[in-house]
């Protein structure tokens, strides 16, 4: 029916080479790495071979170009990525602490991402799309929401489908515009892809059974729960269930695992693969991505994921 489309932020990530606290002294850095949850998602989607594109805005700078070139090289449609002459591409500096938590310095609030608008190219891409994937991170930006509302109407009108990754901070889900946007997305999505804790924060429930019942009662046909190093599970409104044990990998950088999982899931699903195969590819895409430094450096083609699955043992279930 047409490409998978997402809307949202594109940025670069620059990472400390050593673990420790913050950036209060000069340290060795590595990067820039292409990043932004929607960009990671669409890159993985395109690498699988599903037709995929993103509506976004970058600055007229190398941080923008490194992203656009990567996405183009990996097969994504970059025609609806606008270039702002005024604002730079956003960046995030990240350092891991010994306990795995992270310190950040963000330069995103006043970056080109917030200048995204419904350009002629964006309307053309959305007008051809068969699936809309909504990233929770994008819901807090008003300009992005305007485009998402338009995309929902157009893509639904074409008989296309919608998925949502509730990847967002708990504090934003309460009262206010972001909470309302989020509730609306849950009401209209065919497929919801929460990670473990998000299942509960998104539904205000405390058990998996209640959370699933809540999402199905709102109209979702399919819920896929991402469980980090515990793998993932698929549930359908019709009562089907499939589980996968995680691959046994060394986690070098967890950033982007959920986005790669989602990208592979949607791409394989739209290629018509059966649920268990879709889940296997998504599980492999998330696991492969955590083995590489950089948010989308471990995204894999179908052949790379086949090789990864053949070569990597699974953790005991
Ligand atoms: P998010 O990044 O959205 O929090 P998760 O951390 O649950 O999502 O990761 C998404 C998926 O990636 C998991 O369901 C799993 O399939 C895979 N994955 C993530 N971390 C690991 C890991 N340490 N080992 C193996 N697989 C992983």
């Amino acid at each position: 029916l047409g490409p998978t489309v997402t809307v949202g932020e594109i940025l670069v990530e620059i990472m400390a080479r050593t673990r420790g606290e913050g950036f209060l002294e000069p340290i060795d850095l590595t990067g820039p790495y292409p990043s932004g949850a929607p960009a990671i998602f669409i890159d993985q989607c395109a690498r699988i071979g599903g037709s995929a594109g993103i509506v976004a805005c970058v600055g007229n700078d190398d941080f923008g170009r490194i992203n656009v070139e990567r996405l183009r090289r990996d097969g994504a449609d970059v025609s609806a990525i606008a270039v702002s002459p005024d604002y730079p591409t956003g960046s995030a500096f990240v350092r891991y602490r010994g306990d795995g938590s992270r310190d950040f310095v963000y330069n995103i609030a006043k970056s080109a991402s917030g200048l995204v608008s419904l350009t002629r190219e964006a309307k053309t891409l959305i007008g051809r799309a068969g699936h809309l994937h909504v990233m929770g991170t994008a819901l807090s930006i008003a300009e992005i929401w305007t485009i998402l509302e338009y995309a929902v109407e157009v893509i639904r009108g074409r008989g296309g489908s919608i998925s949502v990754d509730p990847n967002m901070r708990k504090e934003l889900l309460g009262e206010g515009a972001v909470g309302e946007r989020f509730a609306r997305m849950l009401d209209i999505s065919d497929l919801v892809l929460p990670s473990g804790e998000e299942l509960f924060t998104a539904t205000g429930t405390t058990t998996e059974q209640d959370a699933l019942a809540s999402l199905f009662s709102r109209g979702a046909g399919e819920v896929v729960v991402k469980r980090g190093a515990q793998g993932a599970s698929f549930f359908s409104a019709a009562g089907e269930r499939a589980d996968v044990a995680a691959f046994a990998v060394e986690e070098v950088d967890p950033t982007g695992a959920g986005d790669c999982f989602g990208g592979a899931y949607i791409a394989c699903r739209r290629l018509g693969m059966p649920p268990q195969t879709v889940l296997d590819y998504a599980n492999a895409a998330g696991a492969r991505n955590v083995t590489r430094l950089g948010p989308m450096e471990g995204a894999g083609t179908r052949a790379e994921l086949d090789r990864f699955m053949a070569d990597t043992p699974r953790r005991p279930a």
Side-chain angles (χ1 to χ4, degrees):
L1 189 62
T4 295
V5 168
T6 191
V7 185
E9 69 282 8
I10 288 183
L11 54 125
V12 294
E13 198 166 303
I14 294 164
M15 302 158 89
R17 284 192 181 276
T18 53
R19 289 194 175 223
E21 267 186 52
F23 298 92
L24 287 168
E25 61 199 40
I27 49 170
D28 278 352
L29 301 170
T30 175
Y33 291 108
S35 190
I40 301 166
F41 168 89
I42 217 68
D43 187 74
Q44 176 60 80
C45 228
R47 294 204 102 206
I48 291 281
S51 148
I54 182 169
V55 178
C57 184
V58 295
N60 184 14
D61 51 34
D62 284 351
F63 287 179
R65 284 186 277 274
I66 192 177
N67 270 288
V68 174
E69 285 315 312
R70 169 68 63 88
L71 292 172
R72 190 200 316 272
R73 189 194 75 191
D74 288 347
D77 184 328
V78 297
S79 62
I81 303 179
V83 178
S84 160
D86 301 320
Y87 275 41
T89 306
S91 53
F93 291 76
V94 187
R95 189 174 193 193
Y96 281 91
R97 295 185 175 201
D99 64 3
S101 65
R102 290 174 283 184
D103 289 331
F104 289 99
V105 174
Y106 286 120
N107 293 304
I108 296 174
K110 291 191 177 157
S111 73
S113 277
L115 299 182
V116 65
S117 67
L118 208 45
T119 58
R120 188 161 44 85
E121 292 79 7
K123 283 186 175 165
T124 304
L125 177 63
I126 292 166
R128 292 195 293 113
H131 183 88
L132 175 69
H133 181 72
V134 179
M135 276 289 172
T137 51
L139 294 178
S140 48
I141 302 172
E143 288 78 3
I144 296 180
W145 178 244
T146 304
I147 301 170
L148 286 172
E149 280 188 304
Y150 172 86
V152 163
E153 198 170 318
V154 171
I155 295 171
R156 269 280 183 255
R158 286 169 49 74
S161 44
I162 300 176
S163 53
V164 62
D165 182 336
N167 168 12
M168 64 192 306
R169 279 180 294 134
K170 200 171 161 180
E171 313 86 72
L172 292 175
L173 290 180
E175 301 299 303
V178 180
E180 281 167 29
R181 292 169 192 166
F182 184 65
R184 168 143 161 75
M185 285 320 308
L186 287 187
D187 285 339
I188 60 175
S189 288
D190 305 292
L191 166 59
V192 187
L193 297 129
S195 55
E197 195 52 33
E198 288 160 7
L199 188 61
F200 306 121
T201 48
T203 53
T205 60
T206 52
T207 68
E208 190 160 292
Q209 203 178 2
D210 288 348
L212 291 168
S214 161
L215 292 173
F216 290 136
S217 74
R218 298 177 81 148
E222 220 169 300
V223 178
V224 184
V225 182
K226 298 172 275 178
R227 307 185 196 276
Q230 271 78 52
S233 305
F234 154 90
F235 302 90
S236 79
E240 298 151 288
R241 173 176 185 153
D243 298 280
V244 279
F247 288 98
V249 291
E250 190 198 341
E251 188 174 285
V252 174
D253 178 4
T255 304
D259 309 323
C260 280
F261 181 102
Y265 192 92
I266 301 295
C268 292
R269 181 87 173 71
R270 298 202 65 222
L271 287 170
M273 297 180 194
Q276 188 72 52
T277 311
V278 174
L279 199 55
D280 278 336
Y281 274 114
N283 189 38
R288 186 175 190 274
N289 197 53
V290 306
T291 64
R292 309 275 208 287
L293 202 63
M296 67 167 85
E297 302 309 303
T301 62
R302 197 163 158 185
E304 284 166 341
L305 296 179
D306 282 335
R307 211 172 314 130
F308 177 87
M309 288 193 272
D311 293 348
T312 315
R314 306 227 185 194
R315 287 182 207 279

